Every structure is written in structure tokens, then in C-alpha cells.
Amino acid sequence: MLNKSILTAAVTTALVATLATTSGCAVTRNQETVGAYVDDTALTTRVKAKFAADPTVSAMAISVETLKGTVQLSGFAKSQEEKSMAEKLARETSGVVAVRNDIAIRHGS
């Protein structure tokens, strides 16, 4: 299994690369300005980085999308604890206006 800090660095690097390549794109998803798009992309990156650093949350199994400061979480969690922690980490991220937690709990193996 990969060392947690190596995984965190890899996920963070990938997210920063995504931010760098998408920040020059046209405004999409009904956002008002390019600045709002960049802000939302930065929020998504910060939330995913928190997930990668947390031992409870699987950054690879939970998707994060941000629109006008509202973060939407989706995907699958192994437990209610993971789902709750993902929401908590997102809410505690500076700049997040609201969180919509649509994570489903995967029962069984």
C-alpha cells in the first residue's frame, strides 16, 4: 500500500495540474465570471487535498464539484463515519458557502 504522504502529494499535484490547465478555459456551468470559475476550482482542489490527507476519507471514491461556493459531494463511502467526515472537512474549508452531501454508503464488500 502506498505511503499516505506520497498519495497525498500525488493527489494534490494532480489536482493542481487540473486547476492550472482549466483556469484558462471559458466560463462554464452558468458561472458569472472567469474569476468565479477559478475560485470554485480552487475550492474543489482544497477539499480534495483535505480528503487525501485524512485517514478516514477516500479521496479516490468521493467526487467533489463546486458551483458558486457550494460543494457537492458524491460517490461511495465505506461507512457513515467516512460520509460524515467528508462533509465536515468540506464545511471547514475556507471559502465554502454550503455543502450538499450526496455520498452513498456502500454496504457489504
Side-chain angles (χ1 to χ4, degrees), residues 2 19 23 39 58 74 89 96:
L2 289 176
L19 172 62
S23 62
D39 290 347
S58 171
S74 61
L89 291 170
V96 171

Side-chain angles (χ1 to χ4, degrees), residues 25-84:
C25 296
V27 176
T28 59
R29 302 183 308 166
N30 299 321
Q31 289 166 311
E32 297 173 10
T33 66
V34 172
Y37 177 79
V38 171
D39 290 347
D40 285 344
T41 304
L43 275 177
T44 297
T45 300
R46 289 200 305 267
V47 171
K48 288 294 271 185
K50 282 186 170 188
F51 289 0
D54 188 274
T56 310
V57 179
S58 171
M60 303 307 282
I62 298 174
S63 297
V64 180
E65 291 187 40
T66 308
L67 181 60
K68 297 180 181 177
T70 298
V71 173
Q72 180 172 355
L73 307 175
S74 61
F76 296 95
K78 295 175 190 163
S79 65
Q80 180 62 46
E81 178 187 14
E82 181 180 8
K83 178 179 178 176
S84 298

Side-chain angles (χ1 to χ4, degrees), residues 80-99:
Q80 180 62 46
E81 178 187 14
E82 181 180 8
K83 178 179 178 176
S84 298
M85 181 56 77
E87 182 174 340
K88 179 180 184 286
L89 291 170
R91 286 190 189 284
E92 292 175 348
T93 302
S94 176
V96 171
V97 175
V99 175

